[in-house]
Each structure stands twice: as structure tokens, then as C-alpha cells.
Amino acid sequence: MNDIQKAFDLAKQARLNAHAPYSKFLVGAAIKPNNSTTLYTGCNVENASFGGTICAERTAITKMVSEVGSQTLEYVVVVTDSDPLAGPCGMCLQVISEFSDKNTKIHLFNLEGLHKEYSFSEMLPLSFTKDWLPKN
Ligand code: THU
């Protein structure tokens, strides 16, 4: 089984843990840091105060950082039950940008295994980065 297939399986599994009683839209994610074999998974965690909802991608990133600190990402895998495939929301893309490099890939899957690969930069070409912040 290749790496991406394994990440798909883990994200699909994590999706089943989604707390999504409001939208009923279950999302799973798996991320792989560069130079690591460990994958971190996440699911969406909704809240009765809707703005408190955390998406699957941000759950996975927060888990990674809390476990091993900041890493750049080789890829992010997102699994939904959507056709056409659903991509990360704008807020997740911005959070991914904090941990992306020019090679970071976004893989979208649905439960049937429909799969599309994007580079992060084609999904968010003008992401806001620390380069815009004052240097001192
Ligand atoms: N959701 C994600 O988990 N990831 C995304 O990138 C898109 C949206 C979740 C948030 C909410 O729980 C549900 O999908 C419907 O918006």
C-alpha cells in the first residue's frame, strides 16, 4: 500500500469520529510532516455555538504541533463523502499555509476513492505569510 493510500485509510477512519450533529457533514484529514513517517489525523468538531467549530484539517495540524512542534507538511489528505470533491475551507488553507512549503500537496478523496491532487500553492496562491509582517 502506498503512503497516500495509507493516509487516505487513516483519514477515512478519523472521519468516523467527527462530531458533526449540526451539519451532518463528516470530514477526516491526515497530514504528514516532511522528514517524518508519523501521520497525524483529525476530524471536524462542531459546536452548538457554530463559530466554535474546528475543521478536520486544523484538528490534525493542532495535534501535530502539540505533539512534536512546528513542522512543514509534505501533504494533507482530506476525506469527505462529496462528489464533486470538497476542498479545505479558506481558514484551513490559511492555517495550512503556516506549515506549508513550495512542495506541499493537498489530496482530496471521497469515500468511493475518487482522488484529486493539488499543490498547496494552486489552492491558495496569495496566502498571507510572515513575509508581510514588519521585520522588527
Ligand atoms: N469542514 C471541515 O472539517 N473541513 C473543511 O475544510 C471544510 C468544512 C467541516 C466544518 C463543519 O463541521 C462541516 O465541515 C460543514 O461545514
Side-chain angles (χ1 to χ4, degrees), residues 18-20 22-29 43-47 50 53-59 78 80 86-93:
H19 175 71
Y22 308 107
S23 74
K24 314 260 194 285
F25 188 73
L26 280 60
V27 186
C43 62
N44 49 332
V45 183
E46 296 185 347
N47 194 278
F50 297 165
T53 293
I54 307 170
C55 293
E57 299 89 325
R58 282 178 288 136
T59 301
V78 183
T80 64
C89 76
M91 192 183 293
C92 285
L93 286 172

Side-chain angles (χ1 to χ4, degrees), residues 63-125:
K63 282 171 66 182
M64 174 191 76
V65 175
S66 63
E67 294 291 322
V68 292
S70 304
Q71 314 287 321
T72 58
L73 297 171
E74 186 177 325
Y75 58 76
V76 176
V77 166
V78 183
V79 179
T80 64
D81 193 18
S82 296
D83 189 356
L85 294 165
C89 76
M91 192 183 293
C92 285
L93 286 172
Q94 181 58 35
V95 171
I96 292 166
S97 84
E98 186 77 14
F99 302 99
S100 68
D101 64 23
K102 61 181 187 344
N103 297 315
T104 302
K105 300 289 190 294
I106 309 286
H107 292 266
L108 307 181
F109 283 91
N110 71 10
L111 293 182
E112 284 68 49
L114 181 62
H115 174 207
K116 279 189 188 158
E117 175 184 335
Y118 299 86
S119 63
F120 171 73
S121 56
E122 69 184 310
M123 283 210 158
L124 192 65

Side-chain angles (χ1 to χ4, degrees), residues 4-22:
I4 299 296
Q5 185 64 40
K6 187 176 142 208
F8 167 60
D9 285 347
L10 288 172
K12 198 164 97 173
Q13 197 61 38
R15 178 182 169 277
L16 298 176
N17 294 327
H19 175 71
Y22 308 107

